[in-house]
Amino acid sequence: MMSNIILALIMLSLQKWQLGVEAVFNKQQVYTATFHVQWFNASPDGYERQILSINNQFPSPTIIVNRGDVINITVVNQASEAISIHWHGITQRHSLHMDGVPGVTQCAILPTQSYVYQFNTNEQSGTYWYHSHSGIQYGDGLKGVLIINDPNDPWKNYYTNEEVLQLSDWYHTPVGVLLQAYVTSSMEDPIPDTGLINGIGQFNCKICEYYNASIQTGETKRYRIINTSIYAAFTLTIDEHKMRVIEADGTILNGDMCVRSLRINPGQRYSVLVNGKRNPTRNYWIRATINPFRMFNEKFNTSVQPNVSAILQYTNNNGEYIFAQSPPMTTFNNVDGIILELITSGMRSMDESNLHPLKSNTNRIPNNNKNTKTIVLNVKVLGSSPGYFALNNSTFSHSLNTTLLYLLLSDSENQLLSDKNIGLIETNEIIDVVINNIDYAPHPFHLHGHFAWILASGKTNEGFYNETMHRNIKYNLHNPIYRDTWTVNPNTYIVFRFKANNPGIWMMHCHNDWHLQLGMAFVFLESPQNIKRYYKGQMSSIPSHCMH
């Protein structure tokens, strides 16, 4: 009898110990913050203007958490217009109402009001960002960086330190003012005046400021590079340094691509490894160039000042700067020449289609022809003065007085499905989406709630997807890149695949934000019955009426 009691006590102690060990290894942290959104004056590139940002900081605060942590942020709107925050790349599994799209998943946050965003990072890790999804506000500064560290990152033993480089186009006129003219006239896409690196640029300045990145002699360092622009694609180079690409949009890559220049579209993120020189003789320029914009009739337009630079400063083992002076100015504005030299010397620039994940068995691409649905979306401009972007001749428009989520929960599903820009998909369906870009400009597309496998991508002017071309397209079903933001080239197609395993109302849109404002978006209504079951009993927390 006594021995049984002792055995039971031992077993109970072992169970408690095991629970304690699990609690240690699965310890979940909560990142808590209050974000006060307001306007203030600043001169990030030497030109003073009003900036919409958070807690009077520009750039806005960087959020750094670990995989599995909870993010809990109270957003207080102290601005004069409605706002919202989208967490770019976060799949919001079981937290659809935290996705941050007014008229789709939430009501906008009105002036003087606040809203609490709370969601779990779950199994995600990597480089992400957050930005307003109301109007085109993040072009005025309402955006920031979100890093989710992974304790099991397979690359972590290959670098000793890391740093973020946030690239952004920049307008001297508030983009809200430009937007009013853009949607009511026949003007072409507004061209940014210049660019910024971590909130610092150089525009016609006599004494310019530069962001100072650092690297220690002989070390390998990780740089997380994010394009938070509303319009501009950038080409980034680091003088006399190569970049090994190890991450794209949160997906760990095999590292086979080592480049001298990195092309990055709005919304995209990359991590690269840079090897520090053992015996450097100076500091070096980090150069980001806004790519020329393809306009109507194949014409190109450029920013007033398309080049922005930062300085890669070398430090010793004690973290002290080795060189006090800036890099030589003789090559400061010679970015075009450097890129041309890379091409003529045979050095590779980055090609999205040649990026491959480290482990093809992780997030293995689903392949079930019986359960595959193909959706073809033709993107083109309709009308003029102003024109609008349409997918299959239909232009997306945000709901102004309610949300799609509320309409679904109030059994107005048929009303949703009558919208040509909303497509129904069901649980476990495999969705192949074809985008035919019937336009002269490239478009970076972002899918909310999911990552997608990029199966095939046409080169510029290669032609559009059709039944004849379908038989000749070579699909990568072995190791395609898996990401949330990708580029469809002009006058051609892209094919991507995702699995319907995350019930929600998920937006897919061009991340050229001027084009989003003119309707270049589509919504996937995924597993509506599962959404209803999940939110059953929570209708009181989903507002029925909005004032966007």
Side-chain angles (χ1 to χ4, degrees), residues 478-493:
H478 172 58
N479 61 351
I481 184 61
Y482 183 65
R483 64 188 312 171
D484 60 61
T485 308
W486 53 88
T487 307
V488 54
N489 293 315
N491 293 310
T492 191
Y493 65 90

Side-chain angles (χ1 to χ4, degrees), residues 407-408 411-418 424 525 528-529 532:
L407 290 176
L408 174 65
D411 294 322
S412 299
E413 186 175 334
N414 290 335
Q415 179 180 341
L416 297 184
L417 294 177
S418 65
L424 174 65
L525 177 57
Q529 299 310 313
K532 290 180 181 180

Side-chain angles (χ1 to χ4, degrees), residues 137-158:
Q137 290 171 338
Y138 81 84
D140 284 324
L142 187 46
K143 56 191 173 185
V145 174
L146 169 58
I147 305 298
I148 307 176
N149 290 316
D150 181 2
N152 299 317
D153 179 2
W155 285 102
K156 69 178 180 179
N157 293 327
Y158 291 83

Side-chain angles (χ1 to χ4, degrees), residues 445-518:
F445 272 87
H446 170 53
L447 175 62
H448 292 212
H450 288 276
F451 282 57
W453 294 270
I454 311 304
L455 305 186
S457 178
K459 297 185 183 300
T460 298
N461 298 327
E462 186 174 324
F464 307 117
Y465 176 97
N466 52 44
E467 287 302 319
T468 301
M469 180 176 283
H470 171 71
R471 292 190 292 268
N472 298 322
I473 294 175
K474 294 182 179 180
Y475 292 89
N476 181 359
L477 299 175
H478 172 58
N479 61 351
I481 184 61
Y482 183 65
R483 64 188 312 171
D484 60 61
T485 308
W486 53 88
T487 307
V488 54
N489 293 315
N491 293 310
T492 191
Y493 65 90
I494 198 166
V495 184
F496 64 91
R497 173 176 294 179
F498 69 96
K499 187 174 182 180
N501 57 8
N502 187 18
I505 307 174
W506 305 119
M507 197 178 201
M508 182 191 72
H509 62 90
C510 181
H511 228 290
N512 174 336
D513 225 49
W514 298 112
H515 297 170
L516 173 58
Q517 305 310 311
L518 294 185

Side-chain angles (χ1 to χ4, degrees), residues 268-285:
Q268 293 183 323
R269 296 91 64 205
Y270 292 105
S271 283
V272 300
L273 298 184
V274 176
N275 294 325
K277 296 178 181 292
R278 296 191 178 277
N279 296 295
T281 57
R282 61 180 177 88
N283 295 321
Y284 297 86
W285 290 116

Side-chain angles (χ1 to χ4, degrees), residues 86 97 117 178 435 441 546:
H86 168 61
H97 57 298
Y117 289 97
L178 295 174
I435 298 179
C546 299

